[in-house]
Amino acid sequence: MEQTAAIDVFAALSQPTRLDAFRLLMTHEPEGLPAGEIARRLDIPQNTMSTHLAILSRAGLIESERHSRSIVYRAVVDRVRELASFLVQDCCGGRPELCEPLIAEFTPCCAPKEASHV
């Protein structure tokens, strides 16, 4: 991720409604949520929510897909990974053991699930 892209992401997330919307979408991965449901859950008028979702989309944080009459939004988890990698790119001056606690923070929630053998 380049610095200008990181700045775009931070700018998009620097507004409370957009941050709330993005965090809501992260909790609903991978299925996403319809735009109207996001607006309802955050108690934001739909036209206002549409503007916020467009900003998040331009920053590459969310993507949309039309499902019949509604538009379903999903978080772009790879963008979060890119941002986290950008932030810790030069972490710890070549001493990776110093970054282990940071990496451990992500592991419990995001560890790959084992395939069940039924």
Side-chain angles (χ1 to χ4, degrees), residues 42-71:
L42 298 178
D43 195 28
I44 304 293
Q46 286 191 12
N47 60 339
T48 302
M49 191 76 256
S50 177
T51 300
H52 289 303
L53 293 171
I55 291 168
L56 291 170
S57 184
R58 280 194 299 275
L61 288 164
I62 64 172
E63 58 190 9
S64 62
E65 185 177 336
R66 182 168 288 284
H67 287 242
S68 185
R69 292 178 32 188
S70 65
I71 299 175

Side-chain angles (χ1 to χ4, degrees), residues 2 26 30-31 48 57 64-66 76-77 79 89 97:
E2 294 186 19
M26 286 293 290
E31 60 277 344
T48 302
S57 184
S64 62
E65 185 177 336
R66 182 168 288 284
V76 178
V77 178
R79 191 67 159 175
Q89 184 174 353
E97 70 277 5

